[in-house]
Each structure stands twice: as C-alpha cells, then as structure tokens.
Amino acid sequence: MKIALIGASGNAGSRILRELSDRGHAVTAIARNTDRIATLPGVAPVSGDVNAPDSLADTLRGHDAVVSSVHFAPTDAAGLIGTVRASRVKRYLVVGGAGSLEIAPGQRLIDQPGFSDAYKAEASAGAEFLDLLRGVEDLEWTFLSPSAMFVPGERTGQFRLGADTLLSNEQGSSISFEDYAIALVDEIEQPRHIRQRFTVGY
C-alpha cells in the first residue's frame, strides 16, 4: 500500500515508519525537517507542515491511507481534518492520546485529580480532536489511543486491544512505541475500527 505519514520523525511516527517499511509498504514520510527522517526501504521523505494545508493536501493526494502522528495542542484540528478531506484520501488514522479514555463509565482519565497538569493541554486537545472526528462521515477514520505510559521499549507483539476504557495490568498502564506501531499498521492492513476509537496496551 501507499501510505502518507505526517509526523514521520517523532517518537511514535518514527516507529510507525519503520513498521510500515519492514512490511513492504511505500511511505511518503512527511516532517518539517526531513533530515530527521530515517533512511529506510520504500520511504520517500517530504517536507510538509500541518499549518500549510494547500501544499499538504497536494502531498497526500493519491495515497491509500493517511496517518497523522502530531501533537494536538499546536495543531488546528479542523484544519488538519479538512486537509485530509481535501486530499480525497478516504482512510485516515490518527495517533491519539490516553487522556480521553475512561477509567470507569463516564470517568475520563484526564478528569482525575492525579492527572498531571503538564499534559492537560495536550490531552484536552486530543479529546477535542476525537470529538471532531466523530462528526466526520466522509472519512474512514480511526483514532488509536495508547495506554497512559507511551514510551520507548521493545517490539514484542504481545499486547491487548480495547475500546474506550484505559487498559492496565499489575505494572500499570503502558505500551511501547514499537508495539503501538504494530497495532496501527495491523489496522491499516486489516481495518476493524472504521469511524471508531480503540486503544492498545499491555
């Protein structure tokens, strides 16, 4: 498949890029600084910016799917979603956040007293992004939320999938960037969560 990956040089994006390359996909790897994009088979680095919608839409056009792996707080959510729609690529996957996941019915992680103030702006923007997506019917979107601790680690292939509830075990709530990438690329290759949010964790 031909995949456009926005944010290909970031923590999650770079792992998704490697997973796509390892599986033989052709990837247009988009970042503001292409020097930070890994040199991998099937990967074409392209300079792009989510705040330059016209040129970004041109870059996205003609792909089988678009993946965005960008920080939510500095991003114009409606603008980015509109850019994907303008590109006429129907399949859109978003690297989401954990803040909007529930720890109990009606109780979001972000609303708990112990939630760090340092992450609230990003988590709130991620929740707003998801709310906007839920009103979009002309994209086959998927929003994949990681667990609370989203960190570098190993590619084990051993993880669980869930819906809107935070996944955790006796060690807490976590997922490596590497295993997250597996779950996201699996969803590209075999879509099971069209117009849905799902989550991945140990």
Side-chain angles (χ1 to χ4, degrees), residues 64-99:
D64 297 305
V66 173
V67 178
S68 68
S69 178
V70 298
H71 290 293
F72 293 112
T75 300
D76 175 1
L80 178 53
I81 294 167
T83 297
V84 177
R85 295 168 79 180
S87 76
R88 300 182 182 175
V89 179
K90 292 299 182 184
R91 188 74 173 111
Y92 179 39
L93 299 98
V94 178
V95 176

Side-chain angles (χ1 to χ4, degrees), residues 65-163:
V66 173
V67 178
S68 68
S69 178
V70 298
H71 290 293
F72 293 112
T75 300
D76 175 1
L80 178 53
I81 294 167
T83 297
V84 177
R85 295 168 79 180
S87 76
R88 300 182 182 175
V89 179
K90 292 299 182 184
R91 188 74 173 111
Y92 179 39
L93 299 98
V94 178
V95 176
S100 58
L101 291 167
E102 295 183 341
I103 60 167
Q107 297 183 37
R108 300 185 308 169
L109 179 64
I110 191 178
D111 298 324
Q112 303 313 301
F115 194 88
S116 172
D117 288 342
Y119 299 113
K120 277 196 174 177
E122 178 68 12
S124 296
E128 291 167 7
F129 199 106
L130 176 58
D131 286 343
L132 277 177
L133 277 178
R134 283 175 165 156
V136 175
E137 297 183 354
D138 59 346
L139 289 177
E140 295 176 357
W141 61 264
T142 298
F143 189 96
L144 177 51
S145 287
S147 292
M149 296 298 295
F150 193 22
V151 292
E154 297 181 9
R155 185 188 187 280
T156 70
Q158 303 297 314
F159 50 79
R160 295 179 292 149
L161 302 180

Side-chain angles (χ1 to χ4, degrees), residues 10-16 19 95-96 144-161 167 169 172-185 199-202:
N11 283 324
S14 61
R15 272 72 167 196
I16 294 165
E19 187 71 24
V95 176
L144 177 51
S145 287
S147 292
M149 296 298 295
F150 193 22
V151 292
E154 297 181 9
R155 185 188 187 280
T156 70
Q158 303 297 314
F159 50 79
R160 295 179 292 149
L161 302 180
L167 296 174
N169 59 24
S173 174
S174 67
I175 189 69
S176 70
F177 294 126
E178 291 78 6
D179 279 339
Y180 178 97
I182 296 174
L184 188 135
V185 178
T199 186
V200 56
Y202 296 126

